[in-house]
Structure formats: C-alpha cells, structure tokens
Amino acid sequence: MEAIIGSGFIVVIVIVAIMLFLHFVPIGLWISALASNVHVGIFTLVGMRMRRVPPQKIVLPLIKANKAGLNVNVNQLEAHYLAGGNVDKVVDALIAAHRAQIPLPFERSAAIDLAGRDVLEAVQMSVNPKVIETPVVSAVARNGIELKIKARVTVRANIDRLVGGAGEPTIIARVGEGIVTSVGSSEAHTDVLANPDDISKTVLGKGLDAGTAFEILSIDIADVDVGRNIGAELQTDQAEADKRIAQAKAEERRAMAVAKEQEMKAYTQEMEARVVEAQAEVPHALATALRDGKLGVMDYYNLNNINADTQMREAISRTGDSTVPQGQVPIK
C-alpha cells in the first residue's frame, strides 16, 4: 500500500515538473520558429517568461516579419512590448509599408505606435487616401446673405509628421476657417453659387496641412445652401433700435413740454394774483389821495366817468352793437 502511494506521489511530482517545464520552455513556439527558419534560442524564450513577456506575442510577429522579408530581431520586438506598444500591429504596418514601397523603418513605426496613433491605419491611409466630411459651415457674403456649405476633404497620411502632427479636428477647423474667409471676401452670394470651385482653390492655397499629420490632396464643395439674409436682419434690428431711441427722446421732449406748460400756467396764475392784489390797492390809494388833498372831488368824478365810458365801449365791442343807449352822449 505504501509503495502504491509513493508511486502516485512520484507521478504527481513528475507531472507538475513537466507542466512547469512546458510553461517556462514553450517547446511548441520553439519548434514553430525552427520550422519557419527563425532562429530563436530556447533560453531566449525562457528569459521572456522570466521577464513576464508572453513568448507568442513576440515569436509569432517575428515569424510573420521574417516571412515578409523584414529585418526585425527579437530584442526590438520585446523592447517595444515592454514599452507598452502593440507588436503585432507594428509588424503589420511594416509589412503593409514594405508591400506599398513606402519607406518606414522599425524605429519610426514603433514611435508612431507609442505616440498613441494607429500606425497600421496610417500606412493604409498613405496608400488609400481618406475622405473627411466637414460639418455644415455657415458663412456670410458681403451682401449679407448666409451660405451653408459642406465640404469633403481628401487627405493622405504623412508618415514623417505622424509623431507630433495635428489630427483630423485641426484639418476640419482650418478648412472651415478657409471657407468662411473665402465666402466673406465675395461681393455677393451669387458669385459663390456660380463658382464654388473658387473656394477650393482659395482654401488649398492657404497651406492648411502645415503642422498636421496629413497631406491635403483636394477640397471638394459637396453642398451649398442659401440661408438667412443676415444683412437685412441686422438692418431691421438697427432700425428697431433707432425707432426705440427716437420714441424715448420724443417722450422725453413731450414730458419736458408738459412740465413747461404746467410751469407757465402756474406763472400766469401768479401774475393774475399780483394784478388782483394791485387792483385791490387802488381804492386805498384813492382814499389816501382824497384825505391828503392830492385828489379833488371833481377829479374823482371825472375818473368814474372815464371808467364808465370804458366799460360801455367794451360792452359794445363784445356785442357788436354800434348804437348808443338813450341818455348817453357818444364820446369822441
């Protein structure tokens, strides 16, 4: 019984040892590399395990690169993997560039990948240019008419400027700015509608791809729609504002006129009150003159006659009657 237990224990140890050996020594990958004429030492594979690098992520791309005729070694791929790069995508990009006869060394491809860009897509875009469609750009001509323009920009990736170059949003923003400038310099919106290719020529002449990761091949105006009459709306708003200002000034003048009228009425009433006050002083003055002997009785009577004649004439002038009442002599 003890012999059976001892034999089983030994078998378990042997199985565990074989599993550990196969884990640290990927025999299958080593045989695949030998069959593909790729020289990878067994100790190199063990070293990858020790450095926590999956051997299959290095050996399989290496085999693919070797079959494509690329000069890539294990150390380059392993270093790129340890730096956080995508080894398989870098090798695919190198193969695509090699087939398209695009000069792309491994160092530049690895730098593009580590910069966060899709290096394989960049190589594919170098071979097959990409069309970027801009959003609707609103621009106003000099006559005040708004135009809504949509453009298609054909770009090709510039591999030499992929590291540090601006992306698609910059291209879209620059093209939109160029469209607004070109339309804004047109005398009338009809000129743009008649020759939309003038916008493309103007925008292309500005060198919008400077400092970007792309090369602009063409700018095509896809759609042009007539929008609002911005100039008329601005003039209408200005006229409305001027009208409100004029109304406010007129209301201010009216209020000042009303205040002046009230002031003059008060002044008139004040003058009338002074006249009444002065008239009230006349009898006192006459009485004082009679007492002091400065005015005689006959003078007083003559004054009363003059007042009576004056009142009669005023009555005749108001009624339009030119006849003289009986008992009175006309005054000449």
Side-chain angles (χ1 to χ4, degrees), residues 117 132 134-135 165-177 212 214:
R117 296 186 181 274
I132 302 174
T134 65
E168 293 183 13
T170 302
I171 293 291
I172 294 175
R174 290 181 179 180
V175 170
E177 179 185 358
T212 66
F214 303 98

Side-chain angles (χ1 to χ4, degrees), residues 10-87:
I10 293 172
V11 171
V12 171
I13 293 176
V14 171
I15 293 174
V16 171
I18 293 173
M19 292 177 62
L20 290 174
F21 178 78
L22 292 177
H23 175 72
F24 284 98
V25 183
I27 300 297
L29 285 175
W30 182 65
I31 295 173
S32 298
L34 287 179
S36 302
N37 198 23
V38 176
H39 302 287
V40 180
I42 192 69
F43 293 104
T44 302
L45 298 177
V46 174
M48 291 181 189
R49 289 292 191 190
M50 300 298 293
R51 289 186 291 271
R52 297 184 178 180
V53 177
Q56 66 273 12
K57 291 190 176 182
I58 303 298
V59 175
L60 296 180
L62 183 62
I63 294 173
K64 185 164 44 176
N66 182 265
K67 290 298 182 182
L70 300 178
N71 186 17
V72 180
N73 57 53
V74 176
N75 291 331
Q76 288 176 321
L77 300 181
E78 189 174 357
H80 185 65
Y81 178 84
L82 291 173
N86 191 327
V87 176

Side-chain angles (χ1 to χ4, degrees), residues 17 20 27 45 56 69 78 84 89 93 109 119 147 161 170 178 197 209 220 225 234-235 245 247 256 290 300 306 323:
L20 290 174
I27 300 297
L45 298 177
Q56 66 273 12
E78 189 174 357
K89 184 165 290 188
S109 177
V119 60
L147 293 178
R161 295 196 304 227
T170 302
D197 56 330
D209 53 3
D220 304 312
D225 293 328
L234 292 176
Q235 292 177 359
I245 294 174
Q247 289 177 345
M256 293 178 62
L290 287 172
Y300 179 71
I306 292 173
T323 60

Side-chain angles (χ1 to χ4, degrees), residues 92-311:
D92 289 342
L94 290 173
I95 294 173
H98 180 70
R99 292 291 185 267
Q101 296 182 355
I102 298 175
L104 179 63
F106 177 83
E107 290 76 11
R108 183 175 297 276
S109 177
I112 295 172
D113 183 62
L114 292 177
R117 296 186 181 274
D118 193 331
V119 60
L120 179 59
E121 182 182 358
V123 173
Q124 292 173 347
M125 195 183 300
S126 297
V127 178
N128 185 20
K130 180 181 179 181
V131 177
I132 302 174
E133 186 169 320
T134 65
V136 177
V137 179
S138 177
V140 181
R142 289 186 178 180
N143 61 349
I145 304 299
E146 178 191 28
L147 293 178
K148 297 180 179 180
I149 301 174
K150 183 184 292 185
R152 291 189 177 94
V153 186
T154 304
V155 297
R156 180 172 57 198
N158 191 331
I159 295 179
D160 295 334
R161 295 196 304 227
L162 277 175
V163 179
E168 293 183 13
T170 302
I171 293 291
I172 294 175
R174 290 181 179 180
V175 170
E177 179 185 358
I179 291 174
V180 171
T181 303
S182 178
V183 175
S185 61
S186 301
E187 291 294 335
H189 69 287
T190 53
D191 298 337
V192 179
L193 295 175
N195 299 298
D197 56 330
D198 290 344
I199 300 177
S200 302
K201 296 177 182 178
T202 303
V203 175
L204 279 174
K206 292 181 177 292
L208 302 180
D209 53 3
T212 66
F214 303 98
E215 177 186 353
I216 297 179
L217 301 179
S218 66
I219 299 177
D220 304 312
I221 304 302
D223 188 21
V224 180
D225 293 328
V226 179
R228 301 171 297 167
N229 191 335
I230 303 296
E233 292 182 1
L234 292 176
Q235 292 177 359
T236 302
D237 294 341
Q238 185 62 43
E240 184 67 23
D242 293 341
K243 185 185 77 172
R244 292 178 181 176
I245 294 174
Q247 289 177 345
K249 291 182 178 179
E251 183 64 23
E252 181 182 359
R253 291 193 296 270
R254 188 191 69 81
M256 293 178 62
V258 171
K260 186 67 175 178
E261 180 185 2
Q262 297 298 326
E263 182 180 353
M264 296 306 297
K265 287 182 178 179
Y267 182 74
T268 301
Q269 292 178 356
E270 181 182 359
M271 292 297 102
E272 290 177 353
R274 290 182 180 180
V275 170
V276 172
E277 182 180 2
Q279 291 176 351
E281 294 292 333
V282 172
H284 296 287
L286 291 176
T288 302
L290 287 172
R291 280 196 304 269
D292 296 340
K294 296 179 179 180
L295 181 66
V297 176
M298 294 303 297
D299 295 330
Y300 179 71
Y301 283 140
N302 290 332
L303 180 61
N304 287 336
N305 287 332
I306 292 173
N307 288 335
D309 290 342
T310 301
Q311 292 176 359

